[in-house]
Each structure stands twice: as C-alpha cells, then as structure tokens.
Amino acid sequence: MSDILIQLIWNGLVTGSLIALVALGLTLIYGIAHFIQFAHGEMVAIGAYTFMVFHKLSAWPIVPAALASIFITIVIGILLEKLFFKPVREHDPLIPLVIAIGLSIGIQALILIIFGPNILTISDHSYESYSFLDGALLATPSQILAFVFAVVLMIGLHLFLKKTKRGKAIRAISSNRSIGKTFGLSTDKSMMWVFGIGSLLTAIAGIFLGFEQNLEPLMGVQISVKAFSAVILGAIGSVRGAIFGSFLIGLAESLLVGLGIVASGFTAGIPFVILILMLLIRPEGLFGKRFVSLRQ
Amino acid sequence: MTLSIQNLTAGYSSGPDILHNTCFELREREIVTIIGPNGAGKSTVLRSIFGLTDIRKGEIIHGSRDITSLSTHEIIRSGIAMVSQGRNIFPDLTVEENLEMGAYTLRSKQEIKDKKKDVFQFFPKLKSFRDRHSGILSGGERQMVAIGMALMLSPEVLLLDEPSIGLAPKIIDEVFAKIQHIRDEGASILMVEQNASKALSISDRGYVLELGRNALDGTGKKLLTDPKVGELYLGKKGKKS
Ligand SMILES: Nc1ncnc2c1ncn2[C@@H]1O[C@H](COP(=O)(O)OP(=O)(O)OP(=O)(O)O)[C@@H](O)[C@H]1O
Ligand SMILES: [Mg+2]
C-alpha cells in the first residue's frame, strides 16, 4: 500500500510539473494581456512535433533537437502575438480570446494535415526505468528530467520576475499598462518576453509529454484543459497559484485514479470537479488577491 | 522659458480635436496650474506634452528643444516626468519596485539606488512601506508613491495631473506642501487641479481651460480674485471627477 502510494505521488508530481509548465505561460499571458490564450496548448504540440521531426525523422541527438524545437516554438509564439494579438491589444479581451480559439483549431488542423491523425511516438528508442527505494519507486529518465527541469524553470522564472529589470517591467505592465507608458516601459517588449517565455515552457512540456505519452494532434488540448483549471484554481494571473494548482491537479488525478477512488475513465473530469469545488468555496482562487487590482 | 506650448491642437487617434489652438507657458521654478471643468481637456494637455496624444498642429518646446514629435521615452530623457490622474501606480508591485519602475529609463544601477535614497528621504513614510504592495496603501500614500516615481527621474519639469484627487483635506495640504518643496529644490511644475482655490494659492500663474480652449490666464492671485473664476471654480472645492 505505501509502495503504491509513493509511486502514485511521484507520478502525480511529474504530471503536475508538466501541467505547471503550461499553466505558467497561461497565467503570465493572462496577467499582461488580460485574455486566455486558448491556443497555448497547441504550443505544446508544436514543441513535441518539431522535436519528433528533428530527433526521430532527422536523427539529431536529443539536446540539439530539443534546442531547435524550443527555438522554433518560441519564434512561433512570438509571431502569433505580433501577427494576431498585437493588432487587437487595445480592444475588448473577448476579441483576442476568439482569435485564440480560432488559432487553436487552425494549428490542430495543420498538424493533422502535415502528420496525419495517427498516434506517433517521439523517439524510436525506449529508455529503461530507474528503480529507487528497493523497487518501491520506478521512474523513467524523462520523468526525472521533467520534474527537475520544471522545478528549476519555476525557480528561474520566479527569480526573473522578482529580481531582473525586465521581469519587474513585465509585472509592472501587467499591473497597470497605461502608467507603464508614462515611465517609458515598452508594452511590446514585455509582451514579446511573456509570449517567448510561455512558448519556451510549453515546448519543454511538449517534449517531455511526448516521451511520457504519445504524439497526437489534440495532445495540446488535453494538457491545456488541466492547465486552465490549475490557473483558475490558483487565481488567474498568479504564478504561485498556477504552480500550486498544477501540482494539486496532478496529484489528485494520480491518487484518485490510482487508489481506485475514481474510475480511470473519469480522469479527464477530475480537474473540473476540483475547480468547481474551489469556485464554490473560494471564488477568487487559492492565491487570489484580497485587494482590488487597478487593472486597465 | 522651460516649457512652451504653442497653438496646440490635439486629439486621440482618429477622434475629433480635443484641444484647439491652446497655449501654455512654464518658466523656470514656477508652479503653474491649469483649471477647468471636467472634460475640458486638461489631462489631454499633459498627455500631449508626453507624446501620448495625436498632435495635429502646434509645437511643444522644452528648453531650446522641440519635443513635439519625440517618443515618450525620449521626452522622459529630456527631463520631464508625469504623475497621471487617478490610477497612477503599479498596485501589484511593492513600493520600492514602483520607484524602480519610475526610474525605468535610467540605465545606471548606482544612480537608481541613489535616487531611491533621495526619494525615501523626501517621503520618509514610504521607506517604512518599501516592501509592501502599493495596492493596499491609502490614497494619500499612493499619491506619494506616484510622485516618488516621478521624482526618481529628478525631472526639470514635473507634470502633475490632479494630485489632490480623492484625498482628505489634511492630506491635500501635505501633498501641496511637498509640491512646493519640489519646486524649491529646483523643478518647474505644471499641474492640473480641480481643487482650484488651494492649487491657485500655491501657484505663480494659472490658466483656465474651457472646452479645449484657453479661456483665462494670469497670476495665481489674480485668478483667485477673478469673479468669474470664483463663481465657476472656487465654489466647487474638492470636487472629484
Ligand atoms: N484616450 C482617449 N481616447 C479618446 N478620447 C479621450 C481619451 N481620453 C480623453 N478623451 C476625451 O477627451 C476629452 C477631454 O478629456 P480630458 O481627460 O483631457 O479632460 P479633463 O479636463 O482632464 O477632465 P477631468 O477633469 O475629468 O479629468 C473628453 O471628452 C474625453 O472623453
Ligand atoms: Mg483629467
């Protein structure tokens, strides 16, 4: 019993890490641009598929393939902002939201056209699991790396936002864009950074997700639904909240299904049930602000 | 003349003209106040100086430099800072971070550090709040943060848009005393105010703006005793927009 518990907690932490990598971008984008980037999940798929192209189809080693895939995903993320979201930046947030939904469907269709509907694997190679604690815990190399990467990236992001001038400027613009202008802060630059960072994180999530599961055109939707729930759970716009919400959902899924409390067919519903409970108890989210933010 | 606005006609993006041929002047170490009813275009004057409107005619000269078509960034670097009306801080940032963002256009870290020290000396209260989220501060404290952000730039010209808005009378006096202090240290101040009597009484000169046009101007004393100003503006003490 305790053996399986350790394994389930580990699986939950890994899933939570991957959700968090997606949720962080969502929450940052919402914070600065005030809309939900519905196509953010598709950036996960772009990261995974481009990695597969470099690593499996072109036989590049893992590291260069990963770097190339991350780079391409970042460029695409920044371009999407410049081409589709920047022109409607001063409009009602409903407009970028609708554009994002359109982009999400469009990118899914594109992946379907290019790679077909079949499930693909990210690598031909299969990796041995490591065994810890006298076999109580089995962890694949990609699980271990995903968890370590996620934690390092979270700490890095936290330090970036709190300590660097650019990070503070991003928080400032998120907090009050028009006042940012009167002190010479560039909204364009901060937007570019946020979409770039968001894409970087999703690309990494996509690569690890590809190792953990398989590639399919809708893979972005599955994880982004969990990430949406995590973000709202933690309080949208909050970085700490997104991280906390992600691990909560990851652990809840793993434990509830693993211990047989919820049938595995209902896994997809778990984030929503948690979300609904949360909204009933504390609608502002776990890390919601008590004071009213002066957003403009 | 430190700031000279000549025949300024301006509006927003594709909208109608808001200001029509308006002129304002600010001399060195003056406090000049613009008064006028809501919607007259007072904030638009300050925003035009800051490159945040669509200027259709006229020119804005700072010192000997034409700043009419400069970017906000360049205007700040030319020595002008603005404290906006109302929501004029970053509520999710700490007081100290707000000050740092005020100095965003400064490059030297040491300079930012020194300026921060100066501002904390000028507003000692802010120092004890430095790590607090500015969003939870009182209205008066927030206004001090906002002015502190502008002071981080040691501006030659300080533009203040309704610094007394929403503040209790006692706090207004404190803020106005600080404004006089800033002038005494060498800055020139162009201020927009609804609280006409208090503002004019600390001003060297004033302008009345009505429907985007210059209606009256003169020394602070003269406007304070002008019957028309008295009837229209001095009866409405502390009115908020
Ligand atoms: N960003 C904007 N875009 C379009 N029109 C604007 C904008 N800001 C202000 N206006 C319009 O310009 C006119 C003048 O506004 P302004 O804010 O300059 O007035 P004000 O004298 O400062 O008023 P108040 O005392 O209420 O602050 C108003 O009709 C207003 O609707
Ligand atoms: Mg105004």
Side-chain angles (χ1 to χ4, degrees), chain B residues 11-13 15-19 35-47 52-53 85 161-162 165 192-194 209 212 239-241:
Chain B
Y12 292 95
S13 51
D17 292 351
I18 304 286
L19 300 175
I35 60 171
N38 289 123
K42 304 180 298 295
S43 298
T44 305
V45 174
L46 300 191
R47 282 196 221 117
L52 298 170
T53 65
Q85 178 177 350
D161 199 344
E162 307 216 9
I165 196 166
V192 163
E193 257 302 334
Q194 294 268 349
L209 190 70
K239 187 180 163 296
K240 297 175 209 166
S241 66

